[in-house]
């Protein structure tokens, strides 16, 4: 691991590695320059793989360290784990209910079909919103290293960023290719696809700063990020990967994604 990485502040580390995850989103969005459609089986497999990565990251990179940190602070580990986990899910539930929809006529004026506009707007909105807890999770993980808990390592935080970056690739594709299919230009389809990842560096910086200055909340913050990620997997990713009938492919891909992230986290962490 480069000394230059070790020498950076946790906030800057989180920012740099979420630039990587943003770049992975842009990579996925760039597929729009080569194809107007993606094979449904391949796409569902990629989406489910991303879900498996998120599930594994939620436990090994977030919940498990959070439980051990709470115990080091003299608090029963299950308390912040349960409270933070449920709050993370409820937070995204509230986000789904109270935030206004995107202005479809403003942002997607290149698409004439009203139904296509609504479907595309909701897709962009959904993926952008669930990138927020991913960014927070990375920020919290790097902030935990600065808090000097024995359960947190820089390698583990980097493993989380790599895992989230891997699962961001199909997310970028999930935005840009449907936009292109609905008639938007390649350039604009790519722009909106990569734009969904912009929130990750911003939320990562917020997460890192929060846990550095409010260390007693760190176990809750880790669990909160885990709960938000699991909510996204349960609500968006698993149903979305199986709605076209590719249940077996999606199920196996999810298990492979889980295994890849588990290896990354255990080997590096």
């Amino acid at each position: 691991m480069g000394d230059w990485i070790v020498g950076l502040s946790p906030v800057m580390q989180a920012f740099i590695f979420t630039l990587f995850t943003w770049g992975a989103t842009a990579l996925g969005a760039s597929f729009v320059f080569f194809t107007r459609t993606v094979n449904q089986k391949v796409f569902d497999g990629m989406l489910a793989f991303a879900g498996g990565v998120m599930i594994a990251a939620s436990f090994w990179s977030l919940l498990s360290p959070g439980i051990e940190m709470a115990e080091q602070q003299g608090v029963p580990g299950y308390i912040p784990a349960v409270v933070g986990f449920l709050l993370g899910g409820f937070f995204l539930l509230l986000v789904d209910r109270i935030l206004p929809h995107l202005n479809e006529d403003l942002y997607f004026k290149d698409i004439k079909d009203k139904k296509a506009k609504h479907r595309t707007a909701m897709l962009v909105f959904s993926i952008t919103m669930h990138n927020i807890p991913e960014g927070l999770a990375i920020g919290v993980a790097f902030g935990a290293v600065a808090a000097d808990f024995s359960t947190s390592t820089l390698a583990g935080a980097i493993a989380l960023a790599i895992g989230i970056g891997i699962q961001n690739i199909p997310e970028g594709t999930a935005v840009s290719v449907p936009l292109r299919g609905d008639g938007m230009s390649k350039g604009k389809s790519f722009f909106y696809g990569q734009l969904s990842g912009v929130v990750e560096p911003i939320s990562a910086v917020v997460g890192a700063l929060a846990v550095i200055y409010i260390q007693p909340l760190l176990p809750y913050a880790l669990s909160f990020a885990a709960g938000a990620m699991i909510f996204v997997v349960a609500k968006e990713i698993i149903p979305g990967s199986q709605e076209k009938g590719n249940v077996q492919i999606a199920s196996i891909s999810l298990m492979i994604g889980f295994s890849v992230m588990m290896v990354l986290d255990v080997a590096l962490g």
Side-chain angles (χ1 to χ4, degrees):
M1 188 178 302
D3 291 338
W4 68 274
I5 297 176
V6 177
L8 295 174
S9 72
V11 174
M12 185 56 67
Q13 290 169 345
F15 180 73
I16 288 173
F17 279 96
T18 44
L19 288 180
F20 160 74
T21 63
W22 179 14
T25 305
L27 174 63
S30 71
F31 290 177
V32 76
F33 292 112
F34 310 104
T35 181
R36 192 167 184 143
T37 60
V38 175
N39 180 280
Q40 191 63 49
K41 290 183 179 180
V42 172
F43 179 75
D44 288 345
M46 291 171 64
L47 194 61
F49 178 91
V53 169
M54 291 176 71
I55 293 172
S58 295
F59 177 74
W60 270 279
S61 297
L62 299 170
L63 273 178
S64 181
I67 291 171
E68 293 186 36
M69 288 174 192
E71 292 173 346
Q72 290 178 24
Q73 293 175 348
V75 178
Y78 62 85
I79 292 178
V82 170
V83 172
F85 187 81
L86 292 177
L87 283 176
F90 283 126
F91 171 76
L92 284 197
L93 182 63
L94 287 174
V95 166
D96 279 350
R97 289 179 177 272
I98 66 176
L99 282 184
H101 295 331
L102 293 175
N103 186 325
E104 297 155 15
D105 291 326
L106 174 62
Y107 294 105
F108 302 104
K109 56 180 179 292
D110 293 351
I111 302 173
K112 294 181 180 179
D113 186 336
K114 284 290 184 181
K115 290 184 179 179
K117 276 187 181 182
H118 182 74
R119 181 181 68 250
T120 301
M122 289 303 96
L123 179 64
V124 175
F125 178 77
S126 172
I127 290 181
T128 301
M129 284 301 100
H130 98 236
N131 278 341
I132 293 175
E134 291 176 8
L136 283 172
I138 295 173
V140 167
F142 280 100
V145 177
D148 201 27
F149 283 98
S150 61
T151 55
S152 296
T153 65
L154 181 58
I158 293 173
L160 175 63
I162 292 173
I164 288 177
I166 291 171
Q167 64 93 34
N168 275 2
I169 296 174
E171 290 179 3
T173 307
V175 175
S176 64
V177 171
L179 285 172
R180 179 62 179 153
D182 287 334
M184 188 175 283
S185 68
K186 290 181 180 180
K188 286 190 175 181
S189 298
F190 170 77
F191 175 76
Y192 285 115
Q194 63 81 33
L195 192 63
S196 65
V198 172
V199 295
E200 288 193 359
I202 299 169
S203 54
V205 169
V206 172
L209 286 171
V211 299
I212 289 171
Y213 291 106
I214 317 175
Q215 290 190 19
L217 292 181
L218 184 50
Y220 293 91
L222 287 165
S223 302
F224 179 94
M229 289 173 68
I230 291 296
F231 179 88
V232 169
V233 173
K235 181 179 180 294
E236 305 285 348
I237 293 182
I238 293 178
S241 67
Q242 298 184 2
E243 64 183 1
K244 300 296 184 181
N246 297 315
V247 176
Q248 291 184 335
I249 291 174
S251 299
I252 294 299
S253 297
L254 185 142
M255 294 181 71
I256 293 172
F258 184 97
S259 300
V260 168
M261 185 61 210
M262 177 172 59
V263 170
L264 273 174
D265 204 293
V266 173
L268 295 180

